[in-house]
């Protein structure tokens, strides 16, 4: 079967039209300027369908290219919303995100950048710029000794720190209300008129990744980790970006439709989810759900749940990517339902100060810890049956008082007290925040 598809016109999108920025407290031990979160505007001129589906994009700062990327959809190539990438780009490139973190190698290189913001990051370490950064470390060690390495939800890198350093007078504290105005996005996406696609891995690895690599080599944007900052171009205009994307995707059209190409087995999209960027709660529904055999509802094993660190994740450069979505987050999100995506997005956007949400690398979980002291884990959420199997430090009685069907954790050696299942179609993030409050109370009395 031959799949026909086409490029769509490529408008520019202004960050001011898409997002809202707000100040929150920094994570424990981090510089005071790492204190921003970004939400989605509830009203705007952009339709959700404009921002769904695979394609290539460029991030523009003050009229010139600083990053190119690809988007291959969500669980389905035609689903998801590229906004989920763009807001993290802004937080990671400015270093102003409350939830930024770095790999060990990236932090070692950042400490050699003169002036701010590198100096402020150095001040979070015991010996400042002379601190020895281990190539591997337990997350419990990162809590107090290496705050910038503490796994959170927005990974930054050396190139982005170099960019932020060169523009720090524009990005530093006091300029929060102007930051979004510096960013625009170019998005060249493709669509299939008959809504048929090969697997997402084909769309990403075969269609888009080689063309993204080509763009990076030609345009040398400073924030892409593949670019040597010393040779980065600072004169690439949106027009040049658009022309290169159109040229590369035109080649994709020809090669994909060519009979000489290896055959791919298409599938028809399952009315894939599309997040509405105009409303954080307004999501187009579909019937896609995770079957019982895809995710187990069983409670986590004692090995995963025992100890204060609940199966400490080690961080190393081999395990982590400088992309804005870590491997752990990608694995977590790839099995979510539409309601689950919305639910997680609201938790990350609205999580109260004092709590630290982060995705784990070895186990596909979203965990939330108390952002004081030893950062004790309060809640762990694992995708299950279209919702989330949760384990919490809150008592069974407290969870039941909140309205949850909670049960005691069976493992006698586990530090978590209660388990329950959350249905994102029925519950809202306020329920999660109430559990966090109860879990905090169990610690403080």
């Amino acid at each position: 079967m031959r799949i026909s598809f086409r490029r769509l016109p490529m408008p520019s999108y202004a960050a001011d039209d898409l997002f809202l920025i707000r100040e929150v407290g920094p994570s424990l031990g981090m510089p005071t300027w790492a204190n921003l979160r970004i939400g989605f505007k509830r009203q705007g001129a952009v339709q959700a369908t404009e921002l769904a589906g695979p394609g290539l994009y460029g991030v523009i700062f003050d009229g010139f290219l600083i990053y190119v990327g690809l988007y291959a959809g969500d669980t389905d190539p035609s689903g998801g919303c590229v906004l989920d990438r763009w807001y993290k780009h802004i937080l990671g490139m400015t270093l102003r995100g409350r939830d930024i973190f770095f790999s060990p190698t990236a932090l070692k290189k950042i400490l050699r950048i003169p002036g701010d913001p590198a100096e402020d990051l150095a001040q979070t370490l015991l010996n400042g710029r002379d601190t020895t950064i281990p190539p591997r470390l337990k997350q419990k060690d990162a809590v107090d000794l290496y705050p910038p390495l503490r796994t959170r939800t927005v990974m930054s890198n050396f190139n982005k720190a170099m960019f932020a350093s060169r523009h720090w007078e524009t990005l530093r504290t006091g300029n929060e209300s102007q930051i979004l105005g510096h960013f625009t996005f170019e998005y060249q996406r493709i669509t299939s008129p008959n809504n048929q696609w090969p697997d997402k891995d084909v769309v990403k690895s075969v269609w888009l990744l080689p063309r993204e690599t080509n763009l990076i080599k030609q345009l040398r944007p400073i924030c892409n980790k593949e670019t040597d900052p010393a040779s980065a171009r600072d004169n690439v205009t949106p027009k040049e970006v658009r022309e290169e994307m159109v040229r590369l995707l035109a080649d994709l059209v020809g090669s994909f439709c060519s009979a000489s190409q290896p055959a791919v087995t298409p599938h028809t999209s399952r009315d894939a989810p599309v997040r509405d960027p105009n409303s954080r709660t307004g999501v187009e529904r579909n019937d896609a759900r995770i079957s019982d055999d895809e995710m187990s509802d069983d409670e986590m094993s004692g090995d995963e749940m025992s100890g204060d660190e609940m199966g400490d994740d080690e961080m190393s450069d081999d395990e982590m990517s400088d992309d804005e979505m870590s491997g752990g987050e990608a694995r977590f999100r790839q099995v979510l339902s539409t309601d689950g995506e919305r639910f997680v997005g609201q938790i990350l956007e609205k999580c109260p100060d004092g709590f630290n949400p982060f995705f784990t690398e070895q186990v596909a979980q979203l965990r939330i810890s108390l952002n004081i002291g030893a950062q004790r884990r309060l809640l762990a959420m694992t995708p299950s049956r279209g919702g989330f199997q949760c384990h919490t430090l809150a008592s069974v009685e407290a969870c039941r008082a909140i309205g949850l069907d909670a049960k005691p954790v069976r493992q006698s050696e586990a530090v978590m007290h209660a388990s329950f299942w959350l249905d994102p179609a029925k519950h809202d993030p306020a329920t999660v925040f109430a559990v966090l409050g109860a879990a905090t109370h169990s610690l403080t009395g």
Side-chain angles (χ1 to χ4, degrees):
M1 179 183 297
R2 173 172 165 171
I3 302 175
S4 63
F5 77 107
R6 59 192 175 92
R7 298 186 313 274
L8 295 177
M10 181 164 52
S12 297
Y13 298 94
D16 265 337
D17 293 335
L18 303 171
F19 304 116
L20 294 170
I21 204 163
R22 65 187 179 100
E23 296 182 60
V24 296
S27 293
L28 180 68
M30 288 294 283
T32 56
W33 42 253
N35 68 336
L36 299 183
R37 280 189 171 141
I38 290 177
F40 296 80
K41 278 196 171 180
R42 296 184 180 277
Q43 301 295 329
V46 179
Q47 298 296 316
T49 52
E50 290 184 36
L51 296 163
L56 300 170
Y57 61 84
V59 181
I60 310 298
F61 182 84
D62 284 348
F64 296 99
L65 180 73
I66 61 170
Y67 184 88
V68 296
L70 65 82
Y71 186 68
D74 194 350
T75 56
D76 186 288
S78 64
C81 183
V82 74
L83 290 182
D84 287 334
R85 305 298 307 279
W86 289 355
Y87 86 89
K88 287 189 174 184
H89 285 314
I90 296 173
L91 294 172
M93 292 168 182
T94 63
L95 301 191
R96 294 297 309 276
R98 189 257 186 203
D99 299 308
I100 63 166
F101 70 108
F102 306 92
S103 72
T105 294
L107 183 59
K108 283 189 285 188
K109 293 170 67 176
I110 290 168
L111 293 179
R112 297 197 291 267
I113 301 174
D116 293 334
E119 180 61 31
D120 292 330
L121 287 169
Q123 293 305 311
T124 69
L125 305 172
L126 185 62
N127 295 314
R129 293 181 184 268
D130 296 325
T131 300
T132 299
I133 307 297
R136 300 181 68 93
L137 74 159
K138 294 281 190 180
Q139 279 297 296
K140 65 181 180 181
D141 296 328
V143 172
D144 296 319
L145 299 179
Y146 311 97
L149 301 182
R150 177 70 169 137
T151 301
R152 299 181 181 93
T153 57
V154 179
M155 193 174 191
S156 192
N157 63 25
F158 169 70
N159 286 55
K160 294 168 188 174
M162 282 292 295
F163 165 79
S165 178
R166 293 176 183 180
H167 298 274
W168 197 239
E169 288 304 313
T170 299
L171 302 174
R172 68 185 314 143
T173 303
N175 296 329
E176 291 77 13
S177 62
Q178 285 81 46
I179 285 178
L180 292 179
H182 294 280
F183 287 90
T184 57
F185 301 88
E186 303 291 328
Y187 188 27
Q188 176 65 78
R189 69 189 185 96
I190 53 179
T191 186
S192 171
N194 54 7
N195 210 27
Q196 291 184 322
W197 299 91
D199 290 338
K200 178 181 175 180
D201 286 345
V202 172
V203 173
K204 180 178 180 179
S205 300
V206 179
W207 289 9
L208 297 177
L209 186 58
R211 288 158 178 85
E212 178 197 43
T213 300
N214 189 313
L215 278 173
I216 294 170
K217 289 181 178 178
Q218 289 189 60
L219 305 181
R220 303 197 305 275
I222 185 172
C223 288
N224 285 93
K225 65 179 181 180
E226 298 86 351
T227 302
D228 178 355
S231 66
R233 292 181 58 185
D234 59 4
N235 61 348
V236 179
T237 65
K239 180 176 182 293
E240 184 175 353
V241 177
R242 287 193 293 268
E243 289 174 349
E244 284 301 310
M245 289 182 180
V246 167
R247 181 183 66 81
L248 289 170
L249 290 176
D251 172 66
L252 172 61
V253 172
S255 63
F256 181 65
C257 294
S258 169
S260 64
Q261 288 298 302
V264 293
T265 302
H267 69 270
T268 301
S269 172
R270 304 176 301 172
D271 188 21
V274 177
R275 176 171 296 122
D276 182 353
N278 301 326
S279 172
R280 197 57 182 154
T281 60
V283 181
E284 295 180 16
R285 300 297 180 90
N286 67 44
D287 294 329
R289 289 292 182 268
I290 301 169
S291 63
D292 289 341
D293 58 354
E294 288 176 311
M295 280 299 285
S296 170
D297 189 27
D298 292 340
E299 294 185 18
M300 286 175 281
S301 68
D303 288 342
E304 292 170 342
M305 289 296 299
S306 62
D308 285 351
E309 295 303 311
M310 292 170 43
D312 277 331
D313 286 325
E314 281 192 348
M315 182 197 302
S316 74
D317 293 313
D318 292 338
E319 296 169 348
M320 307 208 67
S321 165
D322 277 335
D323 205 352
E324 276 65 27
M325 184 179 293
S326 68
E329 180 177 357
R331 290 192 297 274
F332 181 91
R333 288 183 179 273
Q334 71 182 1
V335 295
L336 296 185
S337 65
T338 305
D339 290 323
E341 278 281 354
R342 170 188 55 81
F343 194 79
V344 169
Q346 290 180 328
I347 289 174
L348 297 179
E349 179 183 344
K350 300 177 180 179
C351 191
D353 294 350
F355 299 107
N356 178 40
F358 61 96
F359 296 95
T360 58
E361 290 300 310
Q362 296 180 355
V363 181
Q365 289 180 350
L366 171 61
R367 296 179 182 175
I368 304 177
S369 64
L370 191 63
N371 198 28
I372 59 174
Q375 289 208 8
R376 284 288 300 274
R377 307 291 198 275
L378 303 179
L379 178 68
M381 300 172 59
T382 305
S384 172
R385 295 182 294 129
F388 303 94
Q389 187 66 29
C390 302
H391 292 75
T392 180
L393 203 60
S395 67
V396 172
E397 294 75 18
C399 292
R400 289 175 177 172
I402 294 169
L404 298 166
D405 183 19
K407 300 176 183 178
V409 172
R410 291 195 294 265
Q411 291 81 15
S412 59
E413 71 273 19
V415 298
M416 297 305 228
H417 298 152
S419 67
F420 55 87
W421 186 75
L422 276 177
D423 184 349
K426 297 179 180 179
H427 297 101
D428 60 37
T431 303
V432 172
F433 302 149
V435 172
L436 294 177
T440 302
H441 181 72
S442 73
L443 285 176
T444 62

mmCIF file of all heavy atoms in Angstrom, residues 71-104:
data_model
loop_
_atom_site.group_PDB
_atom_site.id
_atom_site.type_symbol
_atom_site.label_atom_id
_atom_site.label_comp_id
_atom_site.label_asym_id
_atom_site.label_seq_id
_atom_site.Cartn_x
_atom_site.Cartn_y
_atom_site.Cartn_z
ATOM 1 N N TYR A 71 9.934 16.395 15.717
ATOM 2 C CA TYR A 71 8.831 15.895 16.526
ATOM 3 C C TYR A 71 8.185 14.761 15.751
ATOM 4 O O TYR A 71 7.830 14.928 14.580
ATOM 5 C CB TYR A 71 7.817 16.996 16.816
ATOM 6 C CG TYR A 71 6.723 16.561 17.765
ATOM 7 C CD1 TYR A 71 7.019 16.300 19.097
ATOM 8 C CD2 TYR A 71 5.403 16.409 17.330
ATOM 9 C CE1 TYR A 71 6.018 15.894 19.984
ATOM 10 C CE2 TYR A 71 4.403 16.012 18.210
ATOM 11 C CZ TYR A 71 4.721 15.753 19.529
ATOM 12 O OH TYR A 71 3.738 15.338 20.409
ATOM 13 N N ALA A 72 8.060 13.592 16.381
ATOM 14 C CA ALA A 72 7.530 12.407 15.703
ATOM 15 C C ALA A 72 6.179 11.990 16.248
ATOM 16 O O ALA A 72 5.764 10.857 16.096
ATOM 17 C CB ALA A 72 8.524 11.258 15.812
ATOM 18 N N GLY A 73 5.476 12.926 16.887
ATOM 19 C CA GLY A 73 4.184 12.593 17.456
ATOM 20 C C GLY A 73 4.330 12.044 18.860
ATOM 21 O O GLY A 73 5.413 12.013 19.449
ATOM 22 N N ASP A 74 3.208 11.569 19.386
ATOM 23 C CA ASP A 74 3.190 11.034 20.743
ATOM 24 C C ASP A 74 3.277 9.517 20.659
ATOM 25 O O ASP A 74 4.202 8.977 20.096
ATOM 26 C CB ASP A 74 1.912 11.511 21.434
ATOM 27 C CG ASP A 74 1.938 11.317 22.928
ATOM 28 O OD1 ASP A 74 2.855 10.657 23.424
ATOM 29 O OD2 ASP A 74 1.037 11.820 23.606
ATOM 30 N N THR A 75 2.309 8.800 21.173
ATOM 31 C CA THR A 75 2.305 7.356 21.007
ATOM 32 C C THR A 75 2.009 6.983 19.565
ATOM 33 O O THR A 75 2.336 5.886 19.113
ATOM 34 C CB THR A 75 1.256 6.720 21.930
ATOM 35 O OG1 THR A 75 -0.021 7.319 21.662
ATOM 36 C CG2 THR A 75 1.618 6.962 23.384
ATOM 37 N N ASP A 76 1.395 7.895 18.832
ATOM 38 C CA ASP A 76 1.035 7.709 17.435
ATOM 39 C C ASP A 76 1.649 8.860 16.653
ATOM 40 O O ASP A 76 1.665 9.995 17.128
ATOM 41 C CB ASP A 76 -0.493 7.727 17.304
ATOM 42 C CG ASP A 76 -0.979 7.393 15.910
ATOM 43 O OD1 ASP A 76 -0.809 8.256 15.019
ATOM 44 O OD2 ASP A 76 -1.524 6.307 15.712
ATOM 45 N N PRO A 77 2.178 8.621 15.444
ATOM 46 C CA PRO A 77 2.829 9.727 14.719
ATOM 47 C C PRO A 77 1.932 10.945 14.514
ATOM 48 O O PRO A 77 2.435 12.070 14.464
ATOM 49 C CB PRO A 77 3.207 9.080 13.382
ATOM 50 C CG PRO A 77 3.379 7.638 13.695
ATOM 51 C CD PRO A 77 2.331 7.337 14.734
ATOM 52 N N SER A 78 0.629 10.734 14.369
ATOM 53 C CA SER A 78 -0.247 11.874 14.109
ATOM 54 C C SER A 78 -0.767 12.515 15.377
ATOM 55 O O SER A 78 -1.547 13.460 15.328
ATOM 56 C CB SER A 78 -1.442 11.437 13.245
ATOM 57 O OG SER A 78 -2.244 10.500 13.950
ATOM 58 N N GLY A 79 -0.363 12.014 16.532
ATOM 59 C CA GLY A 79 -0.896 12.528 17.793
ATOM 60 C C GLY A 79 0.077 13.419 18.526
ATOM 61 O O GLY A 79 1.132 13.786 18.035
ATOM 62 N N GLY A 80 -0.286 13.757 19.745
ATOM 63 C CA GLY A 80 0.542 14.619 20.565
ATOM 64 C C GLY A 80 0.496 16.063 20.120
ATOM 65 O O GLY A 80 -0.279 16.450 19.247
ATOM 66 N N CYS A 81 1.340 16.863 20.721
ATOM 67 C CA CYS A 81 1.398 18.294 20.420
ATOM 68 C C CYS A 81 2.820 18.779 20.636
ATOM 69 O O CYS A 81 3.409 18.545 21.693
ATOM 70 C CB CYS A 81 0.426 19.059 21.314
ATOM 71 S SG CYS A 81 0.348 20.824 20.979
ATOM 72 N N VAL A 82 3.389 19.434 19.645
ATOM 73 C CA VAL A 82 4.778 19.874 19.713
ATOM 74 C C VAL A 82 4.995 20.919 20.798
ATOM 75 O O VAL A 82 6.140 21.167 21.216
ATOM 76 C CB VAL A 82 5.241 20.394 18.335
ATOM 77 C CG1 VAL A 82 4.645 21.756 18.037
ATOM 78 C CG2 VAL A 82 6.767 20.433 18.238
ATOM 79 N N LEU A 83 3.928 21.514 21.298
ATOM 80 C CA LEU A 83 4.074 22.468 22.402
ATOM 81 C C LEU A 83 4.745 21.833 23.616
ATOM 82 O O LEU A 83 5.403 22.518 24.402
ATOM 83 C CB LEU A 83 2.706 23.021 22.817
ATOM 84 C CG LEU A 83 2.011 23.965 21.843
ATOM 85 C CD1 LEU A 83 0.699 24.453 22.439
ATOM 86 C CD2 LEU A 83 2.892 25.144 21.500
ATOM 87 N N ASP A 84 4.554 20.514 23.770
ATOM 88 C CA ASP A 84 5.176 19.828 24.897
ATOM 89 C C ASP A 84 6.694 19.850 24.812
ATOM 90 O O ASP A 84 7.379 19.657 25.816
ATOM 91 C CB ASP A 84 4.689 18.376 24.968
ATOM 92 C CG ASP A 84 3.260 18.272 25.462
ATOM 93 O OD1 ASP A 84 2.825 19.176 26.184
ATOM 94 O OD2 ASP A 84 2.576 17.293 25.104
ATOM 95 N N ARG A 85 7.232 20.047 23.619
ATOM 96 C CA ARG A 85 8.672 20.211 23.461
ATOM 97 C C ARG A 85 9.080 21.670 23.605
ATOM 98 O O ARG A 85 10.095 21.994 24.219
ATOM 99 C CB ARG A 85 9.113 19.699 22.089
ATOM 100 C CG ARG A 85 8.728 18.263 21.782
ATOM 101 C CD ARG A 85 9.351 17.275 22.748
ATOM 102 N NE ARG A 85 10.785 17.403 22.878
ATOM 103 C CZ ARG A 85 11.662 16.887 22.023
ATOM 104 N NH1 ARG A 85 11.249 16.228 20.975
ATOM 105 N NH2 ARG A 85 12.951 17.031 22.229
ATOM 106 N N TRP A 86 8.292 22.562 23.009
ATOM 107 C CA TRP A 86 8.713 23.951 22.904
ATOM 108 C C TRP A 86 8.838 24.641 24.258
ATOM 109 O O TRP A 86 9.768 25.415 24.474
ATOM 110 C CB TRP A 86 7.745 24.711 21.997
ATOM 111 C CG TRP A 86 7.866 24.319 20.553
ATOM 112 C CD1 TRP A 86 8.783 23.454 20.008
ATOM 113 C CD2 TRP A 86 7.052 24.771 19.470
ATOM 114 N NE1 TRP A 86 8.585 23.338 18.655
ATOM 115 C CE2 TRP A 86 7.534 24.126 18.293
ATOM 116 C CE3 TRP A 86 5.966 25.628 19.371
ATOM 117 C CZ2 TRP A 86 6.947 24.351 17.044
ATOM 118 C CZ3 TRP A 86 5.390 25.844 18.123
ATOM 119 C CH2 TRP A 86 5.883 25.212 16.978
ATOM 120 N N TYR A 87 7.905 24.393 25.163
ATOM 121 C CA TYR A 87 8.008 25.103 26.443
ATOM 122 C C TYR A 87 9.234 24.641 27.220
ATOM 123 O O TYR A 87 9.882 25.432 27.927
ATOM 124 C CB TYR A 87 6.724 24.958 27.262
ATOM 125 C CG TYR A 87 6.613 23.720 28.125
ATOM 126 C CD1 TYR A 87 7.096 23.718 29.432
ATOM 127 C CD2 TYR A 87 6.006 22.559 27.656
ATOM 128 C CE1 TYR A 87 6.984 22.603 30.234
ATOM 129 C CE2 TYR A 87 5.884 21.438 28.440
ATOM 130 C CZ TYR A 87 6.377 21.462 29.736
ATOM 131 O OH TYR A 87 6.267 20.348 30.529
ATOM 132 N N LYS A 88 9.602 23.360 27.062
ATOM 133 C CA LYS A 88 10.813 22.876 27.729
ATOM 134 C C LYS A 88 12.064 23.457 27.090
ATOM 135 O O LYS A 88 13.068 23.690 27.776
ATOM 136 C CB LYS A 88 10.853 21.351 27.696
ATOM 137 C CG LYS A 88 9.860 20.694 28.640
ATOM 138 C CD LYS A 88 10.107 19.204 28.717
ATOM 139 C CE LYS A 88 9.212 18.563 29.761
ATOM 140 N NZ LYS A 88 9.503 17.112 29.908
ATOM 141 N N HIS A 89 12.025 23.692 25.789
ATOM 142 C CA HIS A 89 13.159 24.347 25.140
ATOM 143 C C HIS A 89 13.439 25.702 25.791
ATOM 144 O O HIS A 89 14.587 26.041 26.087
ATOM 145 C CB HIS A 89 12.880 24.548 23.652
ATOM 146 C CG HIS A 89 12.976 23.296 22.837
ATOM 147 N ND1 HIS A 89 14.005 22.396 22.937
ATOM 148 C CD2 HIS A 89 12.152 22.801 21.885
ATOM 149 C CE1 HIS A 89 13.828 21.401 22.091
ATOM 150 N NE2 HIS A 89 12.704 21.624 21.435
ATOM 151 N N ILE A 90 12.401 26.484 25.988
ATOM 152 C CA ILE A 90 12.587 27.818 26.560
ATOM 153 C C ILE A 90 13.189 27.718 27.963
ATOM 154 O O ILE A 90 14.139 28.431 28.310
ATOM 155 C CB ILE A 90 11.257 28.587 26.587
ATOM 156 C CG1 ILE A 90 10.764 28.831 25.157
ATOM 157 C CG2 ILE A 90 11.418 29.924 27.318
ATOM 158 C CD1 ILE A 90 9.374 29.441 25.086
ATOM 159 N N LEU A 91 12.659 26.814 28.773
ATOM 160 C CA LEU A 91 13.158 26.666 30.140
ATOM 161 C C LEU A 91 14.598 26.178 30.169
ATOM 162 O O LEU A 91 15.408 26.641 30.985
ATOM 163 C CB LEU A 91 12.257 25.692 30.911
ATOM 164 C CG LEU A 91 10.822 26.158 31.162
ATOM 165 C CD1 LEU A 91 10.002 25.022 31.760
ATOM 166 C CD2 LEU A 91 10.796 27.370 32.081
ATOM 167 N N GLY A 92 14.950 25.256 29.265
ATOM 168 C CA GLY A 92 16.304 24.713 29.257
ATOM 169 C C GLY A 92 17.327 25.631 28.630
ATOM 170 O O GLY A 92 18.477 25.680 29.068
ATOM 171 N N MET A 93 16.918 26.403 27.621
ATOM 172 C CA MET A 93 17.865 27.285 26.930
ATOM 173 C C MET A 93 18.154 28.553 27.718
ATOM 174 O O MET A 93 19.244 29.124 27.597
ATOM 175 C CB MET A 93 17.319 27.637 25.553
ATOM 176 C CG MET A 93 17.266 26.460 24.605
ATOM 177 S SD MET A 93 16.304 26.842 23.131
ATOM 178 C CE MET A 93 16.376 25.265 22.277
ATOM 179 N N THR A 94 17.199 28.997 28.484
ATOM 180 C CA THR A 94 17.408 30.195 29.302
ATOM 181 C C THR A 94 18.044 29.864 30.650
ATOM 182 O O THR A 94 18.527 30.767 31.340
ATOM 183 C CB THR A 94 16.073 30.904 29.560
ATOM 184 O OG1 THR A 94 15.210 30.034 30.306
ATOM 185 C CG2 THR A 94 15.392 31.307 28.253
ATOM 186 N N LEU A 95 18.035 28.587 31.018
ATOM 187 C CA LEU A 95 18.448 28.112 32.343
ATOM 188 C C LEU A 95 17.533 28.612 33.447
ATOM 189 O O LEU A 95 17.826 28.379 34.630
ATOM 190 C CB LEU A 95 19.899 28.489 32.673
ATOM 191 C CG LEU A 95 20.986 27.997 31.739
ATOM 192 C CD1 LEU A 95 22.361 28.242 32.377
ATOM 193 C CD2 LEU A 95 20.836 26.529 31.389
ATOM 194 N N ARG A 96 16.428 29.247 33.105
ATOM 195 C CA ARG A 96 15.565 29.839 34.123
ATOM 196 C C ARG A 96 14.512 28.854 34.650
ATOM 197 O O ARG A 96 13.765 29.175 35.564
ATOM 198 C CB ARG A 96 14.872 31.079 33.563
ATOM 199 C CG ARG A 96 15.798 32.245 33.218
ATOM 200 C CD ARG A 96 16.519 32.788 34.452
ATOM 201 N NE ARG A 96 15.608 33.083 35.532
ATOM 202 C CZ ARG A 96 14.917 34.222 35.662
ATOM 203 N NH1 ARG A 96 15.068 35.173 34.746
ATOM 204 N NH2 ARG A 96 14.119 34.425 36.686
ATOM 205 N N GLY A 97 14.459 27.646 34.078
ATOM 206 C CA GLY A 97 13.457 26.689 34.511
ATOM 207 C C GLY A 97 13.686 26.214 35.933
ATOM 208 O O GLY A 97 14.807 25.890 36.331
ATOM 209 N N ARG A 98 12.636 26.161 36.686
ATOM 210 C CA ARG A 98 12.729 25.679 38.069
ATOM 211 C C ARG A 98 13.144 24.212 38.116
ATOM 212 O O ARG A 98 13.746 23.749 39.090
ATOM 213 C CB ARG A 98 11.370 25.865 38.749
ATOM 214 C CG ARG A 98 11.367 25.608 40.254
ATOM 215 C CD ARG A 98 10.770 24.271 40.563
ATOM 216 N NE ARG A 98 10.634 24.097 42.002
ATOM 217 C CZ ARG A 98 10.557 22.924 42.597
ATOM 218 N NH1 ARG A 98 10.636 21.821 41.889
ATOM 219 N NH2 ARG A 98 10.424 22.839 43.900
ATOM 220 N N ASP A 99 12.860 23.463 37.051
ATOM 221 C CA ASP A 99 13.084 22.023 37.058
ATOM 222 C C ASP A 99 14.234 21.599 36.150
ATOM 223 O O ASP A 99 14.277 20.464 35.684
ATOM 224 C CB ASP A 99 11.790 21.307 36.639
ATOM 225 C CG ASP A 99 10.648 21.606 37.590
ATOM 226 O OD1 ASP A 99 10.843 21.438 38.812
ATOM 227 O OD2 ASP A 99 9.569 22.020 37.133
ATOM 228 N N ILE A 100 15.207 22.495 35.889
ATOM 229 C CA ILE A 100 16.340 22.121 35.051
ATOM 230 C C ILE A 100 17.339 21.266 35.837
ATOM 231 O O ILE A 100 17.428 21.347 37.064
ATOM 232 C CB ILE A 100 17.072 23.351 34.467
ATOM 233 C CG1 ILE A 100 17.681 24.215 35.584
ATOM 234 C CG2 ILE A 100 16.153 24.168 33.581
ATOM 235 C CD1 ILE A 100 18.671 25.232 35.084
ATOM 236 N N PHE A 101 18.090 20.456 35.097
ATOM 237 C CA PHE A 101 19.219 19.724 35.661
ATOM 238 C C PHE A 101 20.189 19.410 34.535
ATOM 239 O O PHE A 101 19.905 19.657 33.360
ATOM 240 C CB PHE A 101 18.768 18.461 36.392
ATOM 241 C CG PHE A 101 18.244 17.368 35.496
ATOM 242 C CD1 PHE A 101 18.979 16.215 35.268
ATOM 243 C CD2 PHE A 101 17.000 17.476 34.884
ATOM 244 C CE1 PHE A 101 18.507 15.198 34.455
ATOM 245 C CE2 PHE A 101 16.509 16.460 34.069
ATOM 246 C CZ PHE A 101 17.261 15.320 33.849
ATOM 247 N N PHE A 102 21.364 18.862 34.887
ATOM 248 C CA PHE A 102 22.433 18.629 33.923
ATOM 249 C C PHE A 102 23.016 17.237 34.110
ATOM 250 O O PHE A 102 22.893 16.631 35.180
ATOM 251 C CB PHE A 102 23.559 19.656 34.096
ATOM 252 C CG PHE A 102 23.107 21.081 34.044
ATOM 253 C CD1 PHE A 102 22.754 21.756 35.204
ATOM 254 C CD2 PHE A 102 23.027 21.754 32.834
ATOM 255 C CE1 PHE A 102 22.332 23.071 35.168
ATOM 256 C CE2 PHE A 102 22.606 23.076 32.784
ATOM 257 C CZ PHE A 102 22.256 23.733 33.954
ATOM 258 N N SER A 103 23.688 16.738 33.075
ATOM 259 C CA SER A 103 24.478 15.513 33.216
ATOM 260 C C SER A 103 25.803 15.886 33.875
ATOM 261 O O SER A 103 26.218 17.050 33.859
ATOM 262 C CB SER A 103 24.719 14.878 31.852
ATOM 263 O OG SER A 103 25.659 15.647 31.113
ATOM 264 N N PRO A 104 26.510 14.909 34.454
ATOM 265 C CA PRO A 104 27.808 15.223 35.074
ATOM 266 C C PRO A 104 28.801 15.864 34.112
ATOM 267 O O PRO A 104 29.470 16.839 34.464
ATOM 268 C CB PRO A 104 28.290 13.852 35.567
ATOM 269 C CG PRO A 104 27.034 13.080 35.824
ATOM 270 C CD PRO A 104 26.086 13.510 34.750
#
